[in-house]
Amino acid sequence: MAKIILIFASMSGNTEMMAHAVADGVTANSEKIEVIDIMDGLEVTDLEGFDGILLGAYTWGDGELPDDFLDFYDDLDSMNLAGIKAAVFGSCDSAYPHYGAAVDILMEKLTERGAEVYPLGLKIELTPDEKEEEACRTFGNEFVSFLKSPCL
C-alpha cells in the first residue's frame, strides 16, 4: 500500500472542501491518506517516506501562493523529490488575471525538485458544487492510478 500525504491551505473553506473530496477519491481505492492543514505546523521533512504528495492551495491576489504556503514552498528547495509522484489542486477566482496560479506555481516547484507531477492540475472556480466535488473525487482516484503506474 502506498503512503500518500495531502497538504492544503484554505482561507474560505473552498480548498478544504476540495481536499476532503480528493481524499475520498484516494480512499475509495483502498488507499490510506494523511490529510494535513498547512496551518498545523507542517515541515517539508514530513514529506520523507511518502510515495505520493497531493498539494492544495487557493490563489491569492493577482496570482500568488497564500501566505500559509510560502515558508513550505521555500523549504521545498531543500528536498529531493525524485521517485515521488505528486499532484496539485486548488480553488480559483476568475476575477483575477492569473487563474489558479497557485496550482501552476506548486506544480512547477514539485517538478523542479524532481517529483513526477500528474500533468493535470485541478482548478475549481470558488466553492465546488456537487459536480465539482465529484471531479475532485475523480482527481483523487486518478492520482492513485498515476501513483501505481511505472515512473516515466
Side-chain angles (χ1 to χ4, degrees):
M1 182 172 288
K3 287 185 67 179
I4 303 168
I5 188 169
L6 186 155
I7 303 156
F8 72 93
S10 186
M11 182 171 60
S12 63
N14 296 337
T15 305
E16 183 173 8
M17 286 176 64
M18 292 179 70
H20 291 294
V22 169
D24 288 346
V26 169
T27 59
N29 284 285
S30 301
E31 293 291 338
K32 291 186 179 179
I33 186 167
E34 187 173 337
V35 179
I36 300 173
D37 184 328
I38 199 147
M39 292 297 291
D40 291 341
L42 179 79
E43 301 290 331
V44 293
T45 54
D46 294 334
L47 298 177
E48 293 173 359
F50 284 94
D51 305 303
I53 300 168
L54 289 155
L55 300 179
Y58 60 95
T59 299
W60 183 248
D62 288 331
E64 298 132 28
L65 286 174
D67 288 345
D68 307 351
F69 242 102
L70 293 178
D71 289 339
F72 183 84
Y73 176 84
D74 289 340
D75 291 346
L76 280 171
D77 286 334
S78 68
M79 296 294 294
N80 176 357
L81 299 176
I84 306 296
K85 293 194 178 181
V88 183
F89 62 91
S91 61
C92 311
D93 187 342
S94 59
Y96 293 105
H98 302 281
Y99 184 73
V103 172
D104 302 328
I105 291 167
L106 289 170
M107 288 176 68
E108 183 177 306
K109 177 62 81 174
L110 290 166
T111 300
E112 177 185 298
R113 302 311 313 147
E116 185 179 343
V117 180
Y118 186 64
L120 304 174
L122 178 63
K123 299 176 181 181
I124 301 286
E125 178 78 11
L126 300 172
T127 305
D129 61 22
E130 284 183 33
K131 182 179 176 184
E132 291 164 329
E133 281 189 275
E134 184 57 35
C136 292
R137 285 187 283 278
T138 299
F139 184 77
N141 188 358
E142 290 172 351
F143 179 71
V144 172
S145 295
F146 173 69
L147 187 63
K148 292 180 178 180
S149 68
C151 289
L152 296 177

